[in-house]
Amino acid sequence: MNGDYITVDRNTYESLQQELLELRQAVSSLKQNKLSAPVGYDHKQMSLFLEYIPAAIAIFDLQMCYLSANRRWREDYGLKDQEIIGRSHYEIFPEIPQHWPEIHQKCLKGEFAKCEEDSFHRTDGTIEWIKWEIHPWYQDSNEIGGMIMFTEVITKRKQAEIALLKSEKRLRDIATNLPGAIFQFTNRNNVWAVDYISDFIWELAGITANEMIADFHKFISLVHPEDFNNYLNSVIAAIQNSTPWHYEGRLIKPNGEITWWQGDSTPTTNEKGEIIFCGVLLDITARKTAEAALKKLNEELEHKVEERTTAWRKSEARLQRLADNVPGMMYEFCLSPDEEMSFNYVSSGCRELLELTPEEIQQDGLLVFNYIHPQDIPEIKDRIFQSAQTLDNYEAEWRIKTTSHIKKWVKAIAKPEVQNNGNIVWYGCLFEITKLKQAESKLQEKEEFLRSIYEGITQIIFVLDTMGEDDFSYVGMNRTAEKVTGINEKDLIGKSPRYVHGEIEGQKVINRYKSCIKLGKAITYEENLTIKNQPNWWLTTLHPIKDNDGNIYRIIGTTIDITERKKAEAALQDSQDFIERIANFSPNIIYILDLEEKRNIYANREITNLLGYSLSEIKSMGVNLIPTISHPEDVEKMQAHWQRCMNSADGETLQVEYRIRKANGEWCWLYSRDTVFNRHENGKGKEILGVATDITERKKSEILLQEQAENLKNALRDLKRTQTQLIHSEKMSSLGNMVAGIAHEINNPVNFIHGNLFPAYEYVEDLLSVLNLYQRYFPEPPEEIQEKILDVELEFLKEDLVKLLNSMRVGTDRIREIVLSLRNFSRLDEAEVKEVNIHEGIDSTLMILQNRLKAQPNHPAVSVIRDYGNIPLIKCYPGQMNQVFMNIFSNAIDALEEVKLITKPREIRITTKMINNSRLAIRIADNGSGIPPEILTKLFDPFFTTKDVGKGTGLGLSISYQIIVDKHKGNLYCHSTLGQGTEFVIEIPITQAAKPK
């Protein structure tokens, strides 16, 4: 672009400026003082001054005849070889425009005129640009004697300005036709400012360029919240790494619309250290939509970029810098009338895109064609010539191979403009679309896959375009449609539905299409149409297809021939009428029920005869019929029955009995037999056909028999329980007598031994003290005594005899404790309600079971953890409570012995505490393997046991339950978790009601 400027020497320019300044001062002095030409100067001096001044000056009289003209005037206007003094200015320039004589006359009347720029046409056809001033001059009589004209040729400066304007216009045209918002952002003192942004930002973000320049955060606030961090990181990475900035993300416009945008730039740093981003923001919403539309059927990828930019008011240097940083290549391509191609301008983006310099492309316009795939060159040229003929926008895609053998896909978009010289210039840009073409390739593969399905399906498929409110045209149909209609797809494309169906049926079909568009969703309907002169019934479904703006532009339809089904339905209707007559004479209720809506679809007349409701009343109840007339206790049973019906097999009949309220308020029993009548596509039952019979009288008899059987069952259960209790009580009484007798018999000799141990201990102490005195005073006994001392190990005997007596005393204490525990456990003297210390009963039971708690060869010891609360004496049946403790502790020990894999210590935890100061809670928990949930409900049943034969009777927990619940008016329940253990909870009141005498 530097070739468009004209260089002027600085010294020459300053000299001219100084001389013009002096001349203007002289003219101003003449004007103010109205001096005549001779005053102040002699004629000779004036002539020399005028002749050699660098400005063009001419002096005229009142008739516009030349009185004087300096050398510069003659040179500028080509009058060097002519004698002009005394001749009329209009004679010398006969073709002078009309406005000049008018200006001359005004100046001859005393006015002053000037012009900074004016064109002057030379005789050779060239145009000169001049700057001129005209002043009147005065005679001694103070009358106007003529005028003085000053001119300055400014053609070179004007040419430089025109070249500059052309350069600016070229860049403006490129920016105007660029499909994006060009920008320059600058970071000054860590604050980002917008130096420039083109008006395309309104299309992209919904804010004006002025708004964004005034406040950069108005744009930042539009960045999608989910993308903000990625956007910020991309900018930081580009600055820190000095790499080109590229980002794709979403914007939320002020109206709520979400658009995709792409930003590209190369960050630079100026002499002040400020970071500058020059680049372009592109609207890539269409591209993102195309990428997301890979799954759509027969949708085409259309990506059109419309650019709207207004005047570009920035300097050429800024526009040039922006152009160099725009991704891709901006260019000005020229095609001359003789079909010569050249590039007037190419941005620096060609280096990255084509690996060529701008100078190389400008020197040889055909150089770029050397890197284009040979198969693509003919189409590229055809599109160039076509755009030149029609002046339509040029758009093309092709393949290139760079000098480094990198293969790329590129796309060019340009707008043609006819020049005055007949050349056609395209202002456009070239950018890489390799990734987009890869996406198109995948889309094409998907389309071919869907096309195979489209062509192979046995249903008729057709596609129409909406040409207007009432106009539709076919764009395709599958092979099945061709076979059925006998019309070739090529003959159908572009035709109206009236072409296929005729005027009357065609209008009916069009009305269906209009309904689909009006509803904006898929519709399905049945219609009777004539195909090949044969009327047939069709089941048709229409699917509307919408564009990115939500407008329906296409309809895809599928249809199936249902003529045979319609015939079957007609025959079915005839048979249904016959069946209806038979059903109405049946003594049972015959009905059809919709399982999903719980709504009665059909019922014969017997329903009114049996229940007393009229058909209108039944119909008015609708979906509330079953909930309204069904017995509340039977609703859940009926719902379970319907669920079984939905999952039943074909031909399977399910039965249910339930109660229905008649119109008079009475309840009647119905016995229904149901089978699936209609199913969904997934096999689930949708409707059932049933027959209901009135069994009210039978149910009354059954209920009476059930009540009698229940009474007998309860009596038998009570009898068994009483028998069990009697047997157990007798056994426990015998056991208690035996335990008490044994305890009494053991207690007497043990007390005798225990009572004599204390004096025996004292005697031994005395004997040992006497022996010690003998040893002190007779240290040398006879040899026989010494031998005896050694033989009996006297020293050991003295020590061990004391230990032996202590051991015997401990043993007798243990025997007395066991005897006391046996007596406490048997409680023969406490068969009635008495106040007892419940902890003593628990400890006595554990004392009896002490042997089972100790470590055995096949299992470790069981530790007992007592967590006793502060409880008062409890009124209860002590002997029976000890039975309960014995049963629960025994079961806990059995459960711990069954654990094979030992991973934790075996424990039984006993906790006692008061509840509301009126009840006692006793919790006995083990950390065994737990009880399965299905067994928990049977724990307290008589004769139920999980132990091997001979190891349990199944009566322990049953009797314990009766003792706690029936005898003590308390509660006994069990909690268990598999793998963690079991807990039995005993709750009894602290006082018992006196037993009536």
Side-chain angles (χ1 to χ4, degrees):
M1 293 186 63
N2 294 333
D4 295 334
Y5 292 104
I6 297 174
T7 304
V8 179
D9 182 75
R10 181 181 181 87
N11 295 330
T12 303
Y13 178 77
E14 292 179 351
S15 175
L16 289 173
Q17 288 292 104
Q18 182 63 30
E19 291 177 354
L20 286 174
L21 179 61
E22 294 174 355
L23 181 60
R24 288 191 181 99
Q25 292 175 349
V27 172
S28 176
S29 177
L30 287 173
K31 181 178 180 181
Q32 291 175 0
N33 300 318
K34 296 185 177 179
L35 297 176
S36 59
V39 177
Y41 301 93
D42 59 22
H43 188 271
K44 184 177 181 180
Q45 290 175 336
M46 180 62 70
S47 298
L48 289 174
F49 174 76
L50 294 177
E51 183 68 18
Y52 293 102
I53 197 170
I57 302 176
I59 304 175
F60 301 90
D61 60 13
L62 294 176
Q63 286 74 35
M64 287 301 296
C65 293
Y66 280 92
L67 297 178
S68 177
N70 68 352
R71 176 178 51 82
R72 187 61 177 269
W73 180 279
R74 289 185 178 90
E75 290 176 354
D76 288 349
Y77 300 108
L79 303 176
K80 294 175 62 176
D81 300 332
Q82 298 186 35
E83 180 58 41
I84 62 174
I85 304 301
R87 295 176 61 186
S88 172
H89 181 67
Y90 304 133
E91 175 188 351
I92 296 174
F93 297 104
E95 302 299 329
I96 192 171
Q98 182 60 34
H99 69 278
W100 277 107
E102 295 175 356
I103 296 173
H104 297 159
Q105 292 304 314
K106 290 180 181 179
C107 292
L108 292 174
K109 292 179 181 180
E111 296 183 8
F112 167 77
K114 66 182 294 185
C115 181
E116 295 297 327
E117 292 182 358
D118 201 354
S119 60
F120 172 72
H121 295 269
R122 293 188 177 275
T123 56
D124 59 359
T126 60
I127 298 176
E128 294 283 0
W129 288 88
I130 61 174
K131 175 181 178 182
W132 55 265
E133 291 184 11
I134 302 177
H135 300 265
W137 61 271
Y138 294 86
Q139 299 179 354
D140 295 341
S141 60
N142 207 21
E143 294 180 351
I144 297 174
M147 70 176 188
I148 300 175
M149 184 180 298
F150 303 88
T151 64
E152 177 185 354
V153 177
I154 58 172
T155 302
K156 291 183 179 181
R157 190 191 75 189
K158 188 64 179 179
Q159 288 174 346
E161 291 178 356
I162 292 173
L164 178 61
L165 290 174
K166 286 183 178 179
S167 177
E168 290 182 352
K169 180 178 182 301
R170 178 182 302 130
L171 292 176
R172 291 177 189 276
D173 291 339
I174 292 173
T176 301
N177 293 276
L178 186 69
I182 299 176
F183 66 87
Q184 177 174 304
F185 302 153
T186 304
N187 187 304
R188 299 184 180 94
N189 299 323
N190 294 326
V191 177
W192 285 99
V194 181
D195 298 331
Y196 175 78
I197 186 73
S198 64
D199 287 347
F200 188 82
I201 193 65
W202 170 258
E203 299 290 333
L204 180 63
I207 58 175
T208 65
N210 291 334
E211 289 176 335
M212 186 168 173
I213 291 173
D215 186 2
F216 183 48
H217 290 285
K218 285 198 173 184
F219 174 79
I220 298 299
S221 63
L222 300 178
V223 176
H224 197 286
E226 296 178 1
D227 300 343
F228 184 80
N229 289 337
N230 291 337
Y231 161 71
L232 191 61
N233 293 335
S234 69
V235 175
I236 295 173
I239 294 174
Q240 293 178 347
N241 302 325
S242 299
T243 56
W245 176 65
H246 173 81
Y247 175 74
E248 295 182 3
R250 293 165 289 179
L251 292 175
I252 303 178
K253 290 186 176 181
N255 62 1
E257 180 185 353
I258 296 178
T259 60
W260 279 88
W261 65 290
Q262 174 182 321
D264 290 276
S265 176
T266 300
T268 59
T269 304
N270 61 14
E271 64 278 1
K272 297 180 181 179
E274 298 173 342
I275 300 173
I276 301 174
F277 272 64
C278 296
V280 64
L281 305 179
L282 299 176
D283 184 351
I284 60 170
T285 305
R287 193 192 83 195
K288 286 293 184 178
T289 303
E291 292 175 356
L294 292 176
K295 297 181 181 179
K296 290 186 179 180
L297 177 64
N298 290 334
E299 288 188 348
E300 301 175 351
L301 180 66
E302 298 183 15
H303 180 68
K304 297 181 179 179
V305 180
E306 297 181 5
E307 305 83 4
R308 290 172 48 195
T309 54
T310 56
W312 193 343
R313 303 183 183 277
K314 298 297 179 180
S315 66
E316 178 190 10
R318 177 178 294 172
L319 293 173
Q320 182 66 46
R321 192 161 57 250
L322 291 173
D324 290 340
N325 287 278
V326 168
M329 181 186 82
M330 293 194 300
Y331 63 86
E332 179 183 324
F333 177 74
C334 179
L335 179 66
S336 64
D338 56 359
E339 299 185 358
E340 182 180 350
M341 301 179 185
S342 62
F343 286 90
N344 297 334
Y345 171 78
V346 178
S347 70
S348 61
C350 62
R351 291 186 174 91
E352 180 180 356
L353 184 63
L354 302 178
E355 298 181 5
L356 297 173
T357 64
E359 293 76 13
E360 290 175 334
I361 299 175
Q362 287 178 319
Q363 289 176 3
D364 185 0
L366 298 178
L367 179 62
V368 295
F369 289 92
N370 296 338
Y371 299 95
I372 299 176
H373 196 286
Q375 296 178 357
D376 298 339
I377 293 178
E379 183 179 358
I380 295 173
K381 292 185 176 180
D382 289 343
R383 292 200 179 189
I384 292 175
F385 293 126
Q386 182 180 359
S387 177
Q389 293 175 359
T390 62
L391 295 182
D392 291 335
N393 287 350
Y394 174 77
E395 185 173 342
E397 300 174 358
W398 63 82
R399 295 162 288 178
I400 63 171
K401 187 176 183 180
T402 65
T403 56
S404 60
H405 304 289
I406 298 176
K407 296 181 181 180
K408 300 180 181 178
W409 272 92
V410 295
K411 182 174 183 178
I413 301 175
K415 183 177 181 180
E417 185 177 300
V418 180
Q419 307 297 310
N420 295 332
N421 57 4
N423 290 347
I424 300 177
V425 175
W426 282 266
Y427 303 98
C429 63
L430 182 71
F431 49 92
E432 184 178 356
I433 59 167
T434 304
K435 293 183 179 180
L436 182 62
K437 295 301 290 185
Q438 292 172 351
E440 287 180 353
S441 177
K442 293 181 180 179
L443 179 62
Q444 186 176 5
E445 293 176 2
K446 187 69 173 179
E447 184 177 357
E448 291 177 357
F449 172 71
L450 295 176
R451 171 64 66 176
S452 64
I453 298 176
Y454 172 77
E455 295 295 346
I457 197 170
T458 58
Q459 293 182 356
I460 294 176
I461 302 177
F462 57 91
V463 185
L464 304 102
D465 275 348
T466 59
M467 308 301 292
E469 184 177 353
D470 297 326
D471 193 8
F472 301 87
S473 65
Y474 289 101
V475 295
M477 64 178 179
N478 64 351
R479 293 178 182 175
T480 302
E482 289 182 339
K483 294 178 182 178
V484 173
T485 61
I487 301 175
N488 188 275
E489 183 183 22
K490 295 181 180 179
D491 298 333
L492 183 71
I493 294 177
K495 299 295 193 304
S496 168
R498 295 185 181 90
Y499 172 79
V500 178
H501 303 288
E503 193 66 30
I504 297 176
E505 290 188 351
Q507 186 59 45
K508 289 169 57 180
V509 171
I510 289 175
N511 291 338
R512 296 284 192 181
Y513 300 159
K514 291 167 64 178
S515 298
C516 177
I517 293 176
K518 184 177 181 180
L519 292 174
K521 61 181 182 179
I523 62 173
T524 301
Y525 56 89
E526 296 179 358
E527 59 184 346
N528 188 279
L529 298 175
T530 302
I531 303 296
K532 293 183 180 180
N533 298 323
Q534 182 67 34
N536 288 327
W537 279 94
W538 306 90
L539 176 62
T540 302
T541 300
L542 303 177
H543 296 271
I545 305 300
K546 299 180 180 180
D547 58 18
N548 294 333
D549 297 328
N551 300 319
I552 297 175
Y553 72 97
R554 179 166 292 175
I555 294 177
I556 298 177
T558 59
T559 187
I560 305 174
D561 188 350
I562 59 171
T563 304
E564 295 301 324
R565 195 195 78 185
K566 295 296 286 187
K567 291 179 180 178
E569 288 176 355
L572 180 62
Q573 184 63 40
D574 294 338
S575 64
Q576 185 176 354
D577 294 339
F578 175 73
I579 295 172
E580 181 75 21
R581 292 194 297 272
I582 296 175
N584 287 332
F585 286 100
S586 173
N588 300 320
I589 298 176
I590 301 175
Y591 58 89
I592 298 176
L593 179 71
D594 190 310
L595 293 175
E596 290 183 344
E597 300 179 4
K598 306 299 185 292
R599 179 174 58 87
N600 191 67
I601 299 175
Y602 166 79
N604 64 350
R605 293 178 184 173
E606 184 61 21
I607 194 171
T608 61
N609 299 333
L610 179 60
L611 303 181
Y613 297 104
S614 64
L615 292 176
S616 61
E617 288 177 324
I618 294 175
K619 187 175 181 181
S620 64
M621 293 182 192
V623 295
N624 296 320
L625 174 63
I626 303 301
T628 301
I629 67 175
S630 297
H631 196 284
E633 297 177 359
D634 295 339
V635 171
E636 185 176 349
K637 176 171 65 175
M638 294 176 68
Q639 291 177 348
H641 171 73
W642 293 335
Q643 185 64 36
R644 291 194 301 273
C645 289
M646 293 179 67
N647 301 320
S648 63
D650 290 336
E652 184 179 359
T653 300
L654 301 179
Q655 304 171 1
V656 66
E657 296 178 359
Y658 53 93
R659 287 162 286 184
I660 295 294
R661 187 178 63 242
K662 295 183 178 181
N664 59 8
E666 296 180 357
W667 294 98
C668 69
W669 278 90
L670 295 181
Y671 166 61
S672 290
R673 288 141 293 171
D674 300 324
T675 186
V676 175
F677 178 69
N678 191 12
R679 295 183 183 274
H680 286 290
E681 293 181 357
N682 60 7
K684 292 286 186 180
K686 184 179 185 301
E687 298 172 356
I688 57 173
L689 173 64
V691 178
T693 305
D694 184 4
I695 59 169
T696 305
E697 296 301 325
R698 192 192 79 188
K699 289 300 291 184
K700 290 180 180 179
S701 301
E702 289 179 356
I703 292 172
L704 181 60
L705 291 173
Q706 287 177 357
E707 291 176 352
Q708 294 174 353
E710 186 67 24
N711 292 334
L712 291 173
K713 183 178 179 182
N714 292 335
L716 180 60
R717 183 175 62 251
D718 293 340
L719 181 61
K720 287 183 177 181
R721 181 184 300 173
T722 303
Q723 183 183 12
T724 302
Q725 290 177 341
L726 289 173
I727 295 171
H728 188 71
S729 297
E730 185 65 27
K731 289 169 64 177
M732 292 305 294
S733 177
S734 300
L735 179 61
N737 291 327
M738 182 181 68
V739 169
I742 293 173
H744 179 73
E745 293 299 328
I746 293 174
N747 192 46
N748 287 334
V750 168
N751 284 337
F752 174 77
I753 296 172
H754 186 75
N756 290 321
L757 281 176
F758 288 99
Y761 184 79
E762 293 175 356
Y763 297 160
V764 170
E765 287 288 333
D766 293 340
L767 289 174
L768 290 176
S769 62
V770 172
L771 183 60
N772 290 332
L773 289 174
Y774 270 103
Q775 289 179 335
R776 182 187 304 173
Y777 293 105
F778 299 99
E780 298 295 333
E783 183 177 354
E784 183 178 357
I785 294 175
Q786 290 181 3
E787 291 178 359
K788 192 63 176 179
I789 289 173
L790 294 175
D791 185 40
V792 299
E793 296 180 356
L794 180 61
E795 294 301 324
F796 171 77
L797 188 146
K798 288 192 297 182
E799 292 180 4
D800 194 55
L801 181 59
V802 176
K803 295 180 181 178
L804 180 64
L805 291 174
N806 288 332
S807 297
M808 292 174 65
R809 186 170 60 185
V810 171
T812 57
D813 287 339
R814 176 65 176 161
I815 293 171
R816 291 178 72 250
E817 290 177 0
I818 294 173
V819 170
L820 181 61
S821 296
L822 289 173
R823 292 189 63 190
N824 287 337
F825 178 77
S826 64
R827 293 286 186 176
L828 293 178
D829 55 343
E830 299 176 2
E832 299 299 327
V833 175
K834 297 187 71 174
E835 284 189 347
V836 295
N837 185 338
I838 205 72
H839 293 160
E840 291 181 357
I842 295 173
D843 292 338
S844 297
T845 305
L846 290 173
M847 179 66 72
I848 295 172
L849 295 172
Q850 188 64 36
N851 186 58
R852 295 195 62 188
L853 297 174
K854 293 180 180 179
Q856 302 294 333
N858 56 345
H859 61 77
V862 178
S863 61
V864 178
I865 302 173
R866 295 173 174 85
D867 185 11
Y868 291 162
N870 186 14
I871 61 175
L873 296 178
I874 306 299
K875 283 187 177 182
C876 64
Y877 296 91
Q880 295 181 8
M881 287 299 297
N882 290 341
Q883 286 183 259
V884 175
F885 296 148
M886 176 65 73
N887 290 331
I888 295 177
F889 285 141
S890 297
N891 286 336
I893 295 171
D894 291 341
L896 292 173
E897 289 178 351
E898 290 176 359
V899 177
K900 302 301 182 183
L901 182 60
I902 301 173
T903 59
K904 54 187 176 181
R906 303 186 180 202
E907 295 177 352
I908 295 178
R909 181 179 293 273
I910 307 166
T911 305
T912 61
K913 66 177 181 177
M914 296 298 296
I915 304 176
N916 297 328
N917 295 325
S918 62
R919 295 175 70 85
L920 169 65
I922 305 170
R923 298 177 178 272
I924 302 172
D926 66 71
N927 60 349
S929 58
I931 302 174
E934 62 272 13
I935 296 178
L936 277 176
T937 57
K938 305 176 183 179
L939 278 182
F940 303 114
D941 292 348
F943 306 107
F944 175 78
T945 180
T946 58
K947 300 177 182 178
D948 297 336
V949 177
K951 292 186 178 181
T953 61
L955 294 174
L957 290 179
S958 174
I959 293 173
S960 298
Y961 186 85
Q962 293 173 17
I963 291 172
I964 298 300
V965 177
D966 297 339
K967 199 78 171 177
H968 289 82
K969 308 304 179 185
N971 294 321
L972 174 61
Y973 45 89
C974 176
H975 305 300
S976 182
T977 303
L978 283 177
Q980 297 184 12
T982 304
E983 180 184 57
F984 284 89
V985 181
I986 302 169
E987 293 181 3
I988 59 173
I990 61 175
T991 60
Q992 296 291 327
K995 186 175 181 181
K997 296 182 181 180

